[in-house]
Structure formats: C-alpha cells, structure tokens
Amino acid sequence: PAVITAIVHPDGEHLLLGRKPEWAPMMYSTIAGFVEPGETLEETVIRETLEETGVPVTDVRYMGSQPWPFPSSIMLGFTCRAATTRIQRNDDELEDCRWFTREQVLAGGTRGDPGTGLKLSHPFSISRYLIDSWAFAKR
C-alpha cells in the first residue's frame, strides 16, 4: 500500500506541497510514499514526510482511500501537522517543496489548465480530496 499526506503548517493556514521534476510547471501535490514491511501507516506518513521534505510531523489522521494501480494497490490518505516549518529535502524524489497559503490553493487550477499559476491534482483524486478538505475547512 501507499500513503499520501496533506501536511498542515503549525499555524493551520499553509499547506506543504511538493513537485516531481517530470511534472508540468507549477504542478504540486501532497506527499506520498510506500509502506515498508513491519511499518504502521502512521509510521510511514512520518518517515516519508521526513525523508522527502525534512519536516517532522505529528497528529497523523486517516482521511480516506482510493484504488491505486501502481502497482495494483491502494492509496491511503492522511493529514498531519508539521512540528517545524523549515523544509530540507533529503532526497532527489522531489524537485521542489513549499508552503502554500489557503488563498493560493483555492486559486489553483488543475493540471492542464491554462495559465502559469499553481496546478493541483484532478478533483477525483485522493490528493485533491485532502487538499480541498483543508482548503475549505475554515471557509
């Protein structure tokens, strides 16, 4: 199985999103990774977030799931709270990782939309569900 995580800033007003080098310009998403044998889902969220962003997290909460065809598995969605705000990518999996405001996320388009602004995953994905759940929570 794989986990995917929306990482909320300690102030609750920013979301940490990352991008892979092969993605379209300004395409950002939540942080994901595969569960290792003998690891709990919560431990996977904590490990993957730290490995890919350098940000330690707490308050890991399950949000939902979706089928994941790579490789014939399931993607389990979580939210968590960042313990610090300093980003330090520790591997080459992500090209960039940054905090986005609620306004930036709400103004963001979807992959393939025209324009140069923030692009997010498709509305039917677990990633977008996690992002939207955070973005619309305080409206």
Side-chain angles (χ1 to χ4, degrees):
V3 299
I4 191 158
T5 309
I7 304 159
V8 179
H9 191 281
D11 70 8
E13 296 301 315
H14 297 80
L15 194 66
L16 185 62
L17 301 174
R19 64 171 273 105
K20 292 187 176 239
E22 62 269 17
W23 290 353
M26 288 305 293
M27 175 72 193
Y28 282 79
S29 185
T30 49
I31 305 303
F34 288 100
V35 179
E36 297 289 334
E39 189 174 53
T40 68
L41 300 174
E42 294 82 1
E43 289 169 341
T44 303
V45 168
I46 292 166
R47 177 185 53 77
E48 284 288 343
T49 301
L50 193 58
E51 284 178 5
E52 293 187 17
T53 70
V55 176
V57 297
T58 62
D59 197 24
V60 178
R61 296 178 187 257
Y62 175 76
M63 296 289 289
S65 65
Q66 79 172 53
W68 189 245
F70 309 107
S72 302
S73 190
I74 189 165
M75 179 76 74
L76 302 151
F78 292 84
T79 62
C80 62
R81 186 160 300 273
T84 66
T85 59
R86 183 173 172 260
I87 300 166
Q88 182 177 339
R89 291 183 297 112
N90 296 323
D91 60 26
D92 294 329
E93 204 164 325
L94 297 177
E95 175 183 83
D96 187 30
C97 193
R98 63 175 91 159
W99 294 106
F100 288 92
T101 65
R102 192 176 308 275
E103 292 74 27
Q104 288 172 306
V105 168
L106 289 171
T110 300
R111 181 182 183 166
D113 285 350
T116 58
L118 176 64
K119 305 288 188 283
L120 301 169
S121 39
H122 292 285
F124 59 81
S125 70
I126 185 82
S127 176
R128 187 61 174 268
Y129 168 74
L130 296 171
I131 292 168
D132 287 350
S133 293
W134 169 80
F136 291 106
K138 291 193 173 187
R139 293 198 75 185

